[in-house]
Structures are given as C-alpha cells and as structure tokens.
Amino acid sequence: MRPDRAPPAPEPFKHVAVPYDSDDTFLTLIVPRVRAALADDRRVLVVTSAGKLRLLEEALGDEAGQIDRRDSRTWYHHPHRTLAAYHEYTRGRRTLVVGEAPWWDRGEREIREWIRYESVLNAALEDARAVVLCLYDPRTVPAAVLEYQPVIHPLLLESDGETVSTGFVRPHELVLNGDLAPLPAPSGQVATVSFTAQGIKGLRHTVRDYASAAGMDVNLIGSLVLSVSEIAANSVEHGAGHGLIRMWVSGGEMVCEIADPGGALDDPLPGYIPPEPESSRGYGLWISRQLCDFVDLRAEDGTLRVRLHMGLDGYAAL
C-alpha cells in the first residue's frame, strides 16, 4: 500500500512594502514577480496610476492580458471599502496583489486612516493565500507615511530581495497619533435623543429628519440612518440596553455620536475585520465603517462612544 501523503502546508499570507524611486526600479521589482505569479497560476491584480499600468503592460507584452488592472484613484477612494474589496478579491483564490495608494492631497485624519488600513490588512487577510506588494514612491509619498512602512508591513522588498521588518507592529497593538486622545467636544448646536429597544424605529426617523434638515444629500441619508440604527441596536442587544445619541454639523459633515453606558468592546479591531458569512453578529461596526466617511470610538469612564461622520454633499475627507 502507498503511504498517505501529508496535506500541503497552508500558504502564509505575505504583506510586503516595496519602496522604489524610479520607473526602472518599479519594473525591475514588479515585472518578475507578476510573471512568476502568472506561471504559478495565481490571479494577479495591479492597482496603480494609469501611467504605471501602461509601463507594466508594455513590459509584460502578451502576458498583460492575464492581469486585472484598476486605477488607484478610484480603487483607493475609501479605506474600509478598499479593505472589503481586497478581502472579496482574495477570498478562496491564490492571488498576487500589487497596490499603490495615492497619498497626495490627503489630510491628517485621512492619512492616519489609510495607515491603519495598511496595518489591518495583516489581520483581515491573514488566512488568505495571497501576496500583497504595497508600492511606495518617496518622491510622492509624505515622509510621515514612509516612516510607517516597516511598522505596518512584516516584510520589505528591495533590489537585493525580501527582508523581515524588525519594526513591525501587529495591527491590534498599533497606536497612531490621536488614538488615545479624548474625543473633541461637539461644536455648534447639538441635538440629543435617548433610545431603548422599543425606540429604534423612532430613532431612525429622528436621524433621517435631522440629516434632511441639515442639507445632507438624499442619497446619503439612508446610509447614515442604517449605520446609526445598527450601532444603537448593538447597544441594546449587547450593551446596556439603552443609550444616548448626539447629533451636530461641523466642517461640512454631520456627526452622530452613539453613547452606550455598557462599557468597552472586547474586539481589539472593532469593525475592521469582516464577520464570517454564517455569523449573526459583528456586522454593526463593519457596515458603519463601509457606509460612513469616518468612524471613531472611545471607551471613556465606562461609556463606549461611537462617532459616525458623513459629509453633507458626498464623500468628505476622512
């Protein structure tokens, strides 16, 4: 009898920072790895600028038709939607992803969330059979972002090959500037409403009316209302059973704060990791992070505060 063969070892997820400072270096580092991935029957996705995509297509020749291509300006529009898109793309597939997020014209809050997104990839895709190469051009990437390359990537790729990053910090241990600071006080006029399990339906109407009166685009109101009701429902089911909502407008966006006196969350990455399809829990913050422009939360004095930010006239800077 032939001995049983051991099952193949699972492929580890690889998340690699790839600094480059010229088009030639870009092609030298990426083209061989794309070709190797295609030869290894991996699905390949490249997300970068239109100019870089053209360079890559010319270098690959006929093989360019075998890769999926996306323009970074549209793919990297919202960090949590991008996270969900990568999760969906890599699910159940052996993949190579080459991504280059655009960093220009981003504010401090937005840069912070994109850095956090890169870190969370390590947890969100840890079971994926994927290699993710993240491109960084020091000519266009802010110095503050470049400093985090070895912090949010376990591996670094340069001309002499891959090396392990000794500065890597696991996602749930990453602390960025402002993470531990108290939430700023609301500005302007603040509307306050309490809620219980019986009042969730009425709460949705209240939020809808407030957003409409504030001038929010009608196409966005439903997303905000759903997000607020999901977080409030979580407070009812898993928190204190009741809570308080404050709403105000500041800097062209509406802010809804849901305060749950039931305390902090146990999840170290709340709402960043997609729940399992068969799970009946964990969707509230995940959905809210997808729908809202920005979500912030703090556990202060026994109360969990979740703030949902939504631009009044469309996508606002994070």
Side-chain angles (χ1 to χ4, degrees):
M1 296 179 61
R2 299 175 64 182
D4 292 337
R5 293 183 179 180
E11 298 181 29
F13 169 64
K14 294 177 68 174
H15 188 203
V16 189
V18 186
Y20 74 97
D21 57 7
S22 69
D23 291 347
D24 287 342
T25 303
F26 162 73
L27 293 173
T28 297
L29 292 173
I30 298 304
V31 170
R33 286 164 177 82
V34 169
R35 283 183 167 147
L38 292 174
D40 195 30
D41 201 29
R42 286 183 181 269
R43 189 172 181 183
V44 177
L45 171 65
V46 180
V47 186
T48 184
S49 66
K52 290 288 190 331
L53 288 174
R54 285 193 297 270
L55 286 174
L56 187 60
E57 290 165 4
E58 292 171 2
L60 289 173
D62 292 341
E63 291 175 294
Q66 301 178 52
I67 67 173
D68 295 326
R69 286 150 285 184
R70 302 290 188 276
D71 191 307
S72 57
R73 292 172 299 178
T74 53
W75 184 268
Y76 290 106
H77 185 60
H78 185 289
H80 304 292
R81 294 170 200 162
T82 301
L83 183 67
Y86 273 138
H87 189 272
E88 182 63 27
Y89 188 89
T90 60
R91 185 192 295 272
R93 304 186 181 107
R94 300 177 67 247
T95 56
L96 169 68
V97 172
V98 180
E100 183 170 25
W103 294 94
W104 59 85
D105 295 331
R106 296 198 190 278
E108 180 183 351
R109 185 173 81 177
E110 196 173 3
I111 286 176
R112 187 171 66 244
E113 285 307 294
W114 279 106
I115 291 174
R116 196 186 315 280
Y117 144 84
E118 284 281 12
S119 175
V120 170
L121 272 181
N122 296 289
L125 302 184
E126 65 178 351
D127 295 326
R129 295 178 297 168
V131 176
V132 177
L133 306 179
C134 298
L135 298 167
Y136 291 88
D137 184 345
R139 298 168 297 179
T140 59
V141 177
V145 176
L146 294 175
E147 291 176 3
Y148 276 95
Q149 280 185 91
V151 176
I152 57 182
H153 297 86
L155 297 168
L156 307 175
L157 173 63
E158 295 179 315
S159 57
D160 55 351
E162 291 181 5
T163 58
V164 174
S165 171
T166 58
F168 175 65
V169 174
R170 296 182 181 279
H172 64 279
E173 298 173 340
L174 180 70
V175 178
L176 299 176
N177 183 37
D179 281 356
L180 302 181
L183 292 172
S187 59
Q189 293 185 335
V190 180
T192 303
V193 58
S194 59
F195 66 89
T196 62
Q198 293 73 30
I200 296 294
K201 183 177 180 180
L203 176 64
R204 288 195 286 266
H205 288 296
T206 300
V207 174
R208 184 181 300 276
D209 291 344
Y210 188 96
S212 180
M216 181 175 289
D217 187 307
V218 66
N219 296 312
L220 301 175
I221 293 176
S223 294
L224 180 62
V225 170
L226 175 59
S227 299
V228 172
S229 63
E230 284 286 334
I231 302 302
N234 281 350
S235 298
V236 167
E237 184 176 356
H238 307 297
H242 60 90
L244 187 72
I245 287 185
R246 296 190 294 176
M247 299 178 289
W248 65 95
V249 174
S250 175
E253 65 180 11
M254 179 174 162
V255 184
C256 288
E257 179 187 274
I258 303 96
D260 174 10
L265 294 171
D266 294 331
D267 187 349
L269 295 171
Y272 288 102
I273 310 300
E276 294 298 326
E278 64 275 8
S279 174
S280 60
R281 297 182 57 181
Y283 286 93
L285 274 170
W286 171 255
I287 290 173
S288 298
R289 290 197 189 277
Q290 304 301 309
L291 296 178
C292 296
D293 293 331
F294 176 62
V295 177
D296 205 1
L297 56 86
R298 296 287 191 283
E300 302 171 339
D301 301 325
T303 296
L304 176 66
R305 302 183 186 278
V306 180
R307 285 191 180 177
L308 310 177
H309 298 244
M310 182 76 85
L312 295 178
D313 56 358
Y315 177 76
L318 290 169

